[in-house]
Structure formats: C-alpha cells, structure tokens
Amino acid sequence: MSQERIHVNPLHHRPGAKLLVDKHRIPDQGMDSLLAYHVVSDETMLDGNARLNLATFVTTWMDEEAQRLYADAVDKNMIDKDEYPQTAAIETYCQGMIAELWHAPDPAAAPATSTIGSSEACMLAGIALKRRWQERRRAAGQDAARPNLVMSSAVQVCWEKFCNYFEVEPRYVPVSDEHPALDGALLDQYVDENTIGVVAIMGVTYTGAYEPVTEIATALDRIAETAGHDVPIHVDGASGGMVAPFLDPDLEWDFRVPRVASINTSGHKYGLVYPGLGWVVWRDAEALPESMIFRVSYLGGDMPTLALNFSRPGAQVLLQFYMFLRLGREGYAEVQGTSRAVARYLADGIGAMDEFALISDGSTIPVFAWRLVDGHTENWTLHDLSDRLRMRGWLVPAYPLPADREQITVQRIVVRNGVTMDLAEALLATIREEVAYLDALTAPLPDRTAGPGFRH
C-alpha cells in the first residue's frame, strides 16, 4: 500500500482532505495548496545534499539576488521574442560577450544561440557540420550519403545521441595509457572524405583533461595537405569553455585556432547558472548553413533564431547576463581559481595516500580522478568506497574508464562553486576514515556494487 500511495503527515492535514495520495493517478479532486506543497516537499526529503554532490558538473547554488531575479523571470518564454524583446536582446548581449571571450574574428557577427544545455548545443553544432559537408559534396557532384564524425572514445554521451538521431557514423579514436585523450596521433586512420568534423573536448567528462586542440588542428592540416580532406573542428567546451578563458588565457583552443568552426559550453556548469542553459557559437556566417536559421520579426526588426526546442525558459539567460555583470572577468577568474585550488588540494591529499594513484590532478577544469594502486587489496573496490562515502552524505562516483581502458575503475570529484576548502578538509578526513575501515577488512565485502559505465 505504501508503495502505491503517499501518506500525508497529519500535522499538514486539512479537513476533508485525504490522508493517502495516489502516486500514479491524478486525483479526482484537488487539495489545499499548502497541503500539496508539504506533500511534494516531504517526498523530496531523501534527495542528497547538493553541496555534498561531487558527481555533478551542474550549478547547485546561486546568491540571493540571482534567486530573486530567477523568481521574477520564471514565466518568460525564450522563444517569444515579440512578447519579451528585452530578454531576446539580453540573449544577444550574452552571445556577443561569449563570442568575444572565445576570440571570434568578429564577435558581433558570429552566429550564436542559447540552448537548454550543452546537449542541444552539440546537436546544433553537429547538424551544421553535417549540412556544410553535404552542401560541399553535392555541389561537387559527389555522394553525400555516408557522413561520419571522429571523436575520442571518452566523448560525452550527447555525441553518441547526435550520431544516432541524425544518422552519422561515429568513429571513436580509442584512448590508451599512451594517448589518454584525443591528441591527433591517430586521426589519419579515422578521417576520410566523408568526415564532417572532429570533436575536441575541453574537459573530458571522465578525468577533466583538456584535449590539445592545436595538436588536433595540426594533424588535420597534415591530412588536408596529403589526402585533401579539409575537416573542421568543433570544440565541446561544456565545462572548459567557461574555465580556460579565465584561468588559462594563453592556451589556444578557441577561434584563435583557424580550423575551429564552432564551440559550445554549458551556462549551467562553470557558467555558474542554474540548470537549463547552454550556448553555441560559430566562427562566422559561413560556418552556419543558412538553411538552419529561422527568422522572426520583433519590434520591426529581424531576429535570426535556431534551436531544436521551441518554448524554453528565458530566466536562465537573464541569470547568465547577471553573472557576467556580477563577476566580470576578474570575478570569474577568482571563482574558478578557487574551485581549481580546492580540486588541487583534494587531489594532493588523495594522491598522497598509499592506496591510490591519480589519473588526473585538477589542473585543467576543477575535476580529478584516481584509481586503486594495483595489488593493494582484494577485499574492496572503489565502488565500496563510493558506497561508504554515500552513507556519510558524500556523492563521489566510481566507474570504469571508456572503451579500451574499461578495465580501470576510477573515482572522480567535481569541484564547483560552493565546495569550500573547509568542505574539502572534511571530505579528506572522511575518505581516510573509510579507507582505514575498508583496509581493516579480513575478507571481501559481499554483494559488490559495481554498476554500468558512467554516463553522466
């Protein structure tokens, strides 16, 4: 009975209301709004503490003024540019700011759009690559039926979705101990006349590593010279796109690299905005097929728009503009720099433990991963440590590395704004306590909890 219905707390009960609420059927009669609030609130009590969630990249905290602005703008529909022309204008302000941040040749003319998140941004960028390739092939009288996209086997799952949904052959360059990320070394074995583009990742999901965009571009330059395949790069900067410009300004990964055609990022990750916001920018009008652009008029003007979604929230766009104004470049550098310092502190602490070996150290985006030292124990795994930490309130996932390195299980920590040095010290103390408990085991733990590959 309890699995099918929600028991209403008697303290919240109102005369005439039911004490049991069906979980799977809309009730015939409604209930008092305060009672409905308490029912929903009570149902979420077992959700984790967002500040202790070190699995997610997504922003879990914004300041009071941002929350007030969010509440004021929660009803704004980003697609309705006639009704909300200033929200549409603020979107263009942000697009220009991001294009300039990424060194677009002409930031004011660089096509761009906000999206629900990086996944939609990646889909749009992938469609643009496919259509540009198709248009060139057809103009040359060549077959355009078998497009492929080249990327690392450590790519985020949204690219697998893109290839599946839009009928593009995915070509995964395997990672290895020698080549832990896509670095251009093997590209000539995967790129051919049907390659629509190569994806370079600024902040690999598994480890936080930056893939070297300039080295990838150099490899593609050689392929263009020797084989005649002129292939563009899309940079998936879901995380690093809002970290590298502030902490590594001299690192060339963006539109300073001529072969980069488009870049995406997540406003709701290191853009520091609540969930529901991504951005994608193209180098110039030539990089974005005109066929993808829909034009709407508002206030007597012409507004180009492109998106997979139609109605979508406008509040997050206002929050992004707020954060750009609130922090400025110096503020973003301070926030991201603090997150990186916390990540490095945690990585140093975990790396100093005899049980662990670091896979990455948090020196790129504030993310790092580690594995158990070979031969350390047969009694427990990182999945067991993850479970022990979860019992203490910390979410620190354990998962196998991608194909060709899947025999290695790692744990990963994502440091976001709000994960303070004090929390880091508390986490390190907890990890040491739980490792001591696990090391004291005299036999393997039962019911190993290893799950499927990490897909976040």
Side-chain angles (χ1 to χ4, degrees):
M1 178 68 71
S2 62
Q3 294 181 349
E4 299 297 323
R5 297 186 180 184
I6 299 170
H7 291 262
V8 177
N9 188 328
L11 288 177
H12 305 320
H13 188 251
R14 296 290 186 273
K18 294 181 178 181
L19 284 171
L20 293 174
V21 177
D22 197 316
K23 292 182 178 180
H24 306 294
R25 181 178 182 275
I26 297 176
D28 294 326
Q29 288 84 36
M31 63 175 64
D32 177 83
S33 59
L34 185 59
L35 176 57
Y37 167 82
H38 283 300
V39 169
V40 176
S41 179
D42 289 350
E43 276 293 287
T44 62
M45 266 179 38
L46 293 180
D47 280 349
N49 182 333
R51 292 283 290 278
L52 303 184
N53 182 356
L54 303 183
T56 183
F57 287 80
V58 175
T59 298
T60 55
W61 180 87
M62 294 188 76
D63 60 27
E64 183 179 342
E65 290 75 19
Q67 295 189 48
R68 189 185 314 152
L69 183 61
Y70 199 4
D72 291 345
V74 72
D75 61 338
K76 294 184 184 293
N77 186 352
M78 194 65 244
I79 199 65
D80 196 346
K81 301 180 190 298
D82 289 313
E83 186 69 20
Y84 307 113
Q86 284 310 115
T87 298
I90 287 173
E91 181 189 28
T92 64
Y93 302 162
C94 291
Q95 290 168 4
M97 289 177 172
I98 296 169
E100 192 270 339
L101 183 70
W102 293 341
H103 299 94
D106 182 357
T113 187
S114 65
T115 60
I116 290 293
S118 263
S119 291
E120 183 188 4
C122 290
M123 300 285 174
L124 291 170
I127 293 169
L129 292 175
K130 181 180 178 182
R131 288 199 179 182
R132 285 184 67 206
W133 173 82
Q134 287 175 324
E135 290 171 0
R136 290 195 303 271
R137 297 282 291 178
R138 288 167 180 161
Q142 298 170 322
D143 178 64
R146 298 188 304 278
N148 68 68
L149 182 68
V150 176
M151 56 202 132
S152 161
S153 61
V155 78
Q156 214 270 352
V157 69
C158 71
W159 290 103
E160 298 178 41
K161 291 182 179 180
F162 165 75
C163 290
N164 184 313
Y165 297 163
F166 294 97
E167 299 182 327
V168 173
E169 176 196 351
R171 292 189 174 178
Y172 299 112
V173 180
V175 293
S176 63
D177 291 339
E178 184 181 0
H179 302 286
L182 184 68
D183 56 15
L186 303 174
L187 279 181
D188 57 345
Q189 300 177 28
Y190 294 85
V191 169
D192 61 22
E193 63 181 5
N194 294 319
T195 301
I196 64 174
V198 171
V199 176
I201 310 170
M202 285 294 289
V204 174
T205 300
Y206 293 87
T207 62
Y210 289 161
E211 293 185 334
V213 177
T214 55
E215 292 180 24
I216 293 169
T218 298
L220 290 173
D221 288 343
R222 288 196 298 268
I223 291 171
E225 292 172 5
T226 58
H229 309 316
D230 189 12
V231 178
I233 295 172
H234 172 79
V235 177
D236 185 348
S239 298
M242 292 301 289
V243 174
F246 305 111
L247 299 187
D248 307 291
D250 296 329
L251 179 64
E252 294 191 359
W253 61 274
D254 51 17
F255 292 120
R256 286 171 289 182
V257 180
R259 202 165 280 281
V260 172
S262 50
I263 306 171
N264 71 276
T265 197
S266 286
H268 63 221
K269 292 181 180 174
Y270 289 102
L272 307 180
V273 171
Y274 280 139
L277 182 64
W279 300 94
V280 57
V281 180
W282 286 268
R283 169 179 290 278
D284 48 34
E286 184 182 350
L288 179 67
E290 178 68 25
S291 61
M292 289 178 63
I293 301 173
F294 292 81
R295 300 191 178 277
V296 297
S297 297
Y298 80 104
L299 294 182
D302 180 70
M303 170 65 72
T305 181
L306 64 154
L308 295 179
N309 292 286
F310 193 69
S311 293
R312 56 190 174 90
Q316 283 87 340
V317 170
L318 303 188
L319 290 179
Q320 185 74 85
F321 188 49
Y322 166 80
M323 291 305 299
F324 287 162
L325 299 180
R326 166 84 167 77
L327 293 177
R329 290 175 184 249
E330 289 183 357
Y332 264 95
E334 182 177 1
V335 170
Q336 315 298 38
T338 298
S339 293
R340 181 185 280 181
V342 172
R344 295 297 302 274
Y345 174 80
L346 282 167
D348 288 345
I350 291 171
M353 297 176 68
D354 293 338
E355 296 84 359
F356 302 130
L358 291 177
I359 298 292
S360 54
D361 64 1
S363 59
T364 50
I365 59 175
V367 173
F368 69 97
W370 69 94
R371 62 175 177 84
L372 268 175
V373 169
D374 292 339
H376 172 70
T377 182
E378 296 295 327
N379 291 338
W380 60 276
T381 70
L382 292 181
H383 294 283
D384 298 316
L385 177 57
S386 180
D387 283 349
R388 297 292 303 180
L389 293 175
R390 185 181 291 269
M391 293 177 195
R392 303 283 292 272
W394 298 96
L395 273 65
V396 182
Y399 54 90
L401 288 177
D404 299 301
R405 298 186 83 196
E406 65 270 20
Q407 74 279 6
I408 301 174
T409 295
V410 300
Q411 273 189 283
R412 188 201 65 191
I413 283 178
V414 177
V415 176
R416 305 177 313 282
N417 182 36
V419 180
T420 64
M421 198 65 78
D422 289 339
L423 284 175
E425 291 175 352
L427 174 59
L428 274 179
T430 302
I431 290 174
R432 292 180 183 123
E433 291 170 10
E434 295 304 333
V435 168
Y437 166 83
L438 292 168
D439 273 344
L441 295 171
T442 57
L445 283 171
D447 300 323
R448 290 294 175 88
T449 54
F454 186 67
R455 310 295 283 179
H456 179 69

